[in-house]
Amino acid sequence: MIEVLFVLIATSLACSILGPFIVLRNLSMMADALSHSVLLGIVLAFILVGDLNSIFLSLNAAVFGVITVYFVELLSKKRLVKHEDALGIVFPMFFSLAVVIITKMFRNAHLDVDIVLMGNPLFAPFIRIFNLPKSLVLMSVVFFINLIFVILFFKELKISTFDKEFAMLNKIKINRIYYSLMTLTSITCVSAFDSVGAILVISLFVCPSVVAYLFSKSLKQMIVLSLIFGIINCIIGYYIGISLNVSITGVCSFTGMLMCVIAVFINRNGIIYKVLKNIKNRNKIMHDLILIHIFKHNKNFNELGYNSIHEHLNWKKELSDKFLNDLIVSGYVVKDDSLGIYQLSQSGLSYVRMLLR
């Protein structure tokens, strides 16, 4: 069973290495389109060769991925429809045509729409090559191909991702880079069909990269974190799926979504961070108000009394005591028990003078 986990991790690595460029280029829905439309390439190739293990199925599927990208770009460049609308036109057309052909011509063949969409990694260890699961070998090869592409063309990918105009001035073939990226995305989608299905492929392309984007400060860091989060996603999904006896691909996809939600809350610009920052800012304002009050009324002992200062601040006693205790601990305020009042320490006096300037 551990081989199933290795298949999931290899698939995750193959997807996550390209994921940052897909996310940064706003091509997440394009990856979704490719993962569905390449099914038509598989079906048409199967009609010609009649062998589900033929390499021509993968090659033809990759070609159809490029054709999908070309048609989407063609429609959007005409400015008659937006890019997102073009996606909604092209990939449902290709996918639905593939479904019609499958249901009409291949009812008795091992070519099933549900398997293509959902996959079943539990079957992966039964089909072996070199005494290893075929899916593990295939996805490992795809990962290394994607890795080599990213390493060799990292500069071109980085510049064309962030600044197309600058890339054109530097004579970088942005269209060639773009279609190469989409071709590798298509090949990765097709290669992962038998093992994990199209739905998890989309999740592995997008979710780890989105989480990595929220925690990274550079593109290289984002790629590394994307690979790490992809592995964590698969490990968690695998063990939960096995323990609950549910779909592993479904749990992995859900885990990826859950990781994204958690990242939105806990990243450096997330909701929890902002809430804590607001609390910190509020506390600082309250502390400063007390210090300024003591400074302004340093000769009016009635304003600074242990049991009266909260009335002059117009606060509840519990609230004023809390913030006064914080200032005493920090060394800005001292208690004068002989007079029963709060006074500024030397450091507190210096701080208030700096604050008022």
Side-chain angles (χ1 to χ4, degrees):
M1 290 295 288
I2 196 65
E3 290 179 335
V4 175
L5 177 59
F6 291 152
V7 170
L8 289 171
I9 291 175
T11 306
S12 171
L13 293 174
C15 296
S16 299
I17 192 71
L18 299 179
F21 301 102
I22 292 173
V23 169
L24 291 172
R25 289 168 175 256
N26 297 320
L27 295 175
S28 299
M29 290 307 299
M30 181 67 81
D32 183 20
L34 291 176
S35 65
H36 287 76
S37 61
V38 293
L39 179 60
L40 182 58
I42 296 175
V43 171
L44 294 179
F46 183 70
I47 292 175
L48 296 175
V49 300
D51 182 9
L52 283 173
N53 296 317
S54 174
I55 192 173
F56 290 106
L57 270 69
S58 298
L59 293 176
N60 199 50
V63 169
F64 254 86
V66 177
I67 291 173
T68 300
V69 175
Y70 175 77
F71 272 106
V72 170
E73 295 295 323
L74 185 64
L75 283 175
S76 59
K77 284 181 179 179
K78 294 296 183 180
R79 300 188 184 278
L80 297 176
V81 293
K82 296 180 180 179
H83 188 270
E84 295 79 7
D85 299 331
L87 279 172
I89 294 171
V90 174
F91 99 77
M93 177 183 69
F94 285 170
F95 183 69
S96 58
L97 182 59
V99 172
V100 170
I101 294 174
I102 290 173
T103 54
K104 186 68 177 176
M105 300 178 63
F106 304 118
R107 293 181 182 273
N108 298 321
H110 180 60
L111 187 61
D112 185 76
V113 176
D114 292 333
I115 291 296
V116 168
L117 287 177
M118 294 304 300
N120 195 340
L122 293 175
F123 292 153
F126 297 106
I127 305 175
R128 307 181 76 84
I129 182 173
F130 306 125
N131 202 30
L132 291 169
K134 179 183 176 182
S135 297
L136 176 59
V137 175
L138 181 60
M139 295 314 302
S140 298
V141 171
V142 172
F143 166 64
F144 282 110
I145 292 173
N146 293 345
L147 178 62
I148 292 170
F149 171 74
V150 170
I151 293 173
L152 292 179
F153 298 100
F154 180 78
K155 177 184 175 182
E156 290 80 1
L157 284 165
K158 182 178 180 179
I159 296 175
S160 60
T161 296
F162 291 105
D163 195 335
K164 290 184 179 180
E165 289 76 13
F166 182 72
M168 292 174 66
L169 290 174
N170 282 269
K171 298 181 180 180
I172 295 175
K173 307 295 184 181
I174 58 175
N175 286 335
R176 188 177 300 173
I177 293 294
Y178 173 71
Y179 281 103
S180 298
L181 178 63
M182 290 297 99
T183 300
L184 288 177
T185 303
S186 300
I187 293 173
T188 305
C189 289
V190 176
S191 302
F193 273 173
D194 285 340
S195 55
V196 301
I199 302 301
L200 182 54
V201 169
I202 302 166
S203 176
L204 292 176
F205 270 124
V206 178
C207 292
S209 300
V210 169
V211 177
Y213 174 76
L214 293 174
F215 290 101
S216 58
K217 296 182 179 179
S218 68
L219 180 57
K220 289 182 180 179
Q221 191 179 50
M222 182 178 175
I223 293 173
V224 173
L225 288 177
S226 177
L227 294 172
I228 294 172
F229 285 128
I231 293 173
I232 294 173
N233 183 1
C234 290
I235 292 174
I236 294 174
Y238 169 79
Y239 282 107
I240 293 177
I242 292 296
S243 61
L244 297 180
N245 193 25
V246 294
S247 169
I248 294 176
T249 55
V251 177
C252 287
S253 298
F254 178 79
T255 303
M257 181 274 293
L258 195 60
M259 289 175 63
C260 290
V261 173
I262 294 173
V264 168
F265 279 90
I266 67 173
N267 79 92
R268 63 183 182 275
N269 294 315
I271 296 174
I272 292 179
Y273 174 84
K274 289 181 178 179
V275 170
L276 294 176
K277 186 177 180 180
N278 289 336
I279 293 174
K280 183 180 178 181
N281 291 337
R282 171 182 172 273
N283 290 346
K284 184 179 184 304
I285 292 172
M286 303 292 268
H287 291 149
D288 290 347
L289 287 173
I290 291 176
L291 291 173
I292 294 172
H293 176 83
I294 297 174
F295 178 79
K296 292 289 187 180
H297 300 89
N298 64 324
K299 293 182 180 179
N300 189 346
F301 294 163
N302 186 49
E303 295 270 356
L304 309 178
Y306 291 166
N307 297 317
S308 60
I309 188 172
H310 69 280
E311 297 176 355
H312 298 284
L313 289 169
N314 200 24
W315 296 354
K316 292 182 178 179
K317 191 175 188 309
E318 296 79 9
L319 185 65
S320 63
D321 288 345
K322 174 185 177 299
F323 289 115
L324 282 163
N325 287 332
D326 292 343
L327 292 170
I328 291 171
V329 172
S330 62
Y332 283 172
V333 172
V334 295
K335 298 175 75 173
D336 188 342
D337 292 330
S338 62
L339 298 174
I341 62 172
Y342 295 101
Q343 290 187 334
L344 294 178
S345 66
Q346 192 59 43
S347 59
L349 188 61
S350 301
Y351 174 78
V352 173
R353 285 172 177 168
M354 180 273 296
L355 192 65
L356 293 176
R357 280 201 302 267

